Amino acid sequence: MLRILQKFGGTSVADLDRIQAAAKRVKQEVDVGNEVAVVVSAMAGETNRLVNNATQISSGYDTSEYDAVVASGEQVTAGLMAIALQHIGIDARSWLGWQIPILTDNIHGKARILEINTEVLSKKLSEKQVAVISGFQGISSDDRITTLGRGGSDTSAVALAAALDVDRCDIFTDVEGVFTSDPRIVGKAKKLEKITYEEMLELASLGAKVLQTRSVELALKYQVPLQVRSSFSDADGTLVVDEDKTVEQELVRGIAHSNDDAKITLIRVDDRPGIAAAIFGPLTDSNINVDMIVQNVSEDGKATDLTFTVSRSDFDRALDVLGKSKEELKFQRLIGDPDVTKISIVGVGMRSHAGVAQKMFTALAERGINIQVISTSEIKVSVLISSEYTELALRALHTAYGLDAS
Ligand code: ADP
Ligand code: ASP
Ligand code: MG
């Protein structure tokens, strides 16, 4: 007997037929004697619809009411899944975040899970009742509904898997696993049999939305045995594992892209000690994170150009904050460009190999794609390019690193 957790994403519960198909997968596990906890997302498209409703009335909405609205999609699917299970003879009940409870902080819209009380849930599972849990939501210490950020059902699933000490956590989605790149853009992308927690963490944080970043952090921390697989086929998925369990150390395991960044350039800013602090200080004070940075060498020792990226959602505010500091920073011009894409190659094998980045630069140069900003870490290289070249760049790099499916 195993204890397992099955998470079904939006496409996998998109309508009643799919909910019933997912219920059959749950039944298969129950039939072999396993204890099963199920985490569900809202039906595909539903959260977007709810977000629109919440934000249309007022842009200055109360974030706790926003959460009350957007969390509701998962309530519906949890109830429907419990009904579907009961209909095929399985003992099941739905659980909302507050009923468990899944305690979070009170940062509405992107709350973090603090604690999960699994006493009752665990007892019910051992009595062979399937627990169907609404993903994405929790409750704060002041008794308000919270949500965990877009894609947050993955995090609900992994956090519950850790708290319930499951033997397996299966993430059912609309692709067959984690691929070398987004299979919807790169037709030749290959499904990976295994990927390390570390590589998955980089890919997720660099834009591969197949798993929410926070869910991978938790999986790594609590060593949750994670598998990403398709709810539409029985094919083996991708196992997310520790580094020593992977078969081979690939130089580049995968390529991710993100359209969540925007570029800002300050033209001819004073070149003096303290200038970086003077620029980035006010941005930090306004809670705006800066990601990639490049500073040009100044030709005359007096002024230089500085380029950096911020999250696209912070773009207007960042321009505003910098515009107000024009006198102090003495820059000539402020230029903003939201039409940029960050492309990143990721692989643990990069640690011990030189020349990995060079191949990236060459492949992009051969296609006439200009690199605007570069940033690196031990296991990744990211470049910023104009958004219009996203698909071309992804496919060119995929081929250059020998990742294409044969
Ligand atoms: P769910 O609703 O099941 O949570 P998501 O839409 O959040 O599904 O995530 C699955 C999607 O992630 C896929 O449809 C795919 O387009 C995208 N994706 C991006 N990068 C990758 C990758 N490297 N491997 C697999 N899927 C990826
Ligand atoms: N329904 C939420 C969203 O669309 C959470 C999730 O699907 O993971 O972001
Ligand atoms: Mg998702």
Side-chain angles (χ1 to χ4, degrees):
M1 196 263 311
L2 299 175
R3 177 175 278 189
I4 64 166
L5 188 141
Q6 298 183 311
K7 180 255 172 181
F8 295 95
T11 324
S12 311
V13 292
D15 56 37
L16 299 184
D17 285 344
R18 291 202 178 155
I19 290 176
Q20 285 175 285
K24 281 195 193 134
R25 279 195 185 273
V26 178
K27 184 175 186 302
Q28 281 169 8
E29 297 293 347
V30 174
D31 285 348
V32 296
N34 292 334
E35 295 177 7
V36 194
V38 179
V39 170
V40 286
S41 287
M43 292 180 176
E46 179 62 6
T47 308
N48 286 345
R49 192 183 70 82
L50 293 166
V51 168
N52 268 335
N53 281 350
T55 50
Q56 253 172 28
I57 301 177
S58 151
S59 58
Y61 55 84
D62 175 352
T63 53
S64 43
E65 298 307 344
Y66 167 95
D67 276 352
V69 174
V70 303
S72 66
E74 272 74 7
Q75 170 163 349
V76 173
T77 42
L80 288 171
M81 177 66 86
I83 291 173
L85 285 166
Q86 290 165 3
H87 183 66
I88 52 175
I90 305 288
D91 182 18
R93 75 153 271 194
S94 65
W95 295 85
L96 298 176
W98 65 268
Q99 291 171 320
I100 293 177
I102 296 176
L103 187 69
T104 72
D105 61 21
N106 60 3
I107 314 295
H108 286 282
K110 50 177 175 200
R112 282 167 79 99
I113 296 175
L114 300 175
E115 200 188 311
I116 302 182
N117 186 338
T118 53
E119 206 179 313
V120 186
L121 211 56
S122 212
K123 185 165 164 287
K124 290 289 177 192
L125 288 178
S126 56
E127 290 166 10
K128 296 282 186 276
Q129 184 182 69
V130 174
V132 186
I133 302 143
S134 303
F136 188 47
Q137 53 170 264
I139 186 164
S140 64
S141 56
D142 42 358
D143 280 348
R144 300 301 308 256
I145 306 287
T146 54
T147 62
L148 309 178
R150 296 308 303 269
S153 294
D154 295 328
T155 299
S156 311
V158 174
L160 278 156
L164 290 167
D165 198 20
V166 302
D167 299 294
R168 226 173 65 217
C169 176
D170 286 348
I171 306 285
F172 287 95
T173 185
D174 55 5
V175 287
E176 283 193 351
V178 179
F179 283 68
T180 45
S181 195
D182 187 337
R184 297 193 191 285
I185 299 181
V186 181
K188 290 182 180 159
K190 265 189 308 211
K191 182 172 71 182
L192 297 165
E193 189 195 333
K194 289 179 182 171
I195 186 168
T196 68
Y197 289 113
E198 224 180 337
E199 288 168 325
M200 192 61 240
L201 194 56
E202 285 283 0
L203 283 176
S205 71
L206 294 166
K209 66 168 183 161
V210 62
L211 286 174
Q212 198 197 34
T213 307
R214 180 81 185 126
S215 74
V216 190
E217 277 171 17
L218 290 179
L220 169 64
K221 184 168 172 195
Y222 296 105
Q223 296 286 297
V224 175
L226 203 60
Q227 184 181 186
V228 179
R229 50 183 304 197
S230 166
S231 63
F232 304 112
S233 85
D234 285 323
D236 286 338
T238 302
L239 295 171
V240 189
V241 295
D242 265 332
E243 196 166 330
D244 54 1
K245 294 205 185 103
T246 46
V247 196
E248 25 177 352
Q249 281 216 342
E250 289 293 337
L251 227 45
V252 173
R253 181 87 56 197
I255 307 175
H257 75 285
S258 158
N259 294 320
D260 289 340
D261 305 76
K263 186 180 77 164
I264 293 178
T265 304
L266 292 165
I267 307 279
R268 291 198 67 79
V269 69
D270 246 9
D271 194 11
R272 59 170 166 86
I275 191 67
I279 293 169
F280 298 122
L283 292 174
T284 308
D285 293 344
S286 306
N287 249 322
I288 297 171
N289 281 331
V290 171
D291 178 18
M292 311 168 94
I293 304 176
V294 55
Q295 181 178 344
N296 289 348
V297 181
S298 65
E299 277 164 25
D300 52 8
K302 286 183 195 148
T304 178
D305 296 347
L306 190 93
T307 297
F308 54 91
T309 61
V310 296
S311 158
R312 217 177 259 193
S313 56
D314 291 334
F315 181 55
D316 291 338
R317 271 193 322 125
L319 289 177
D320 209 44
V321 168
L322 291 168
K324 285 186 185 136
S325 321
K326 184 162 192 216
E327 299 231 316
E328 189 204 339
L329 302 175
K330 295 195 181 64
F331 56 82
Q332 212 175 61
R333 239 169 1 120
L334 176 63
I335 304 174
D337 182 4
D339 295 321
V340 289
T341 298
K342 183 167 68 181
I343 309 263
S344 312
I345 54 169
V346 172
V348 286
M350 259 182 234
R351 280 199 196 109
S352 45
H353 281 83
V356 182
Q358 185 52 33
K359 189 178 262 186
M360 183 180 204
F361 305 152
T362 310
L364 295 174
E366 279 169 5
R367 266 76 177 184
I369 302 171
N370 186 37
I371 298 172
Q372 303 178 3
V373 191
I374 301 169
S375 74
T376 61
S377 79
E378 229 188 352
I379 66 162
K380 69 116 192 199
V381 182
S382 299
V383 295
L384 196 74
I385 62 167
S386 168
S387 292
E388 63 184 307
Y389 298 119
T390 305
E391 293 180 14
L392 181 63
L394 282 174
R395 290 177 190 148
L397 293 173
H398 203 264
T399 305
Y401 287 104
L403 297 174
D404 288 353
S406 44

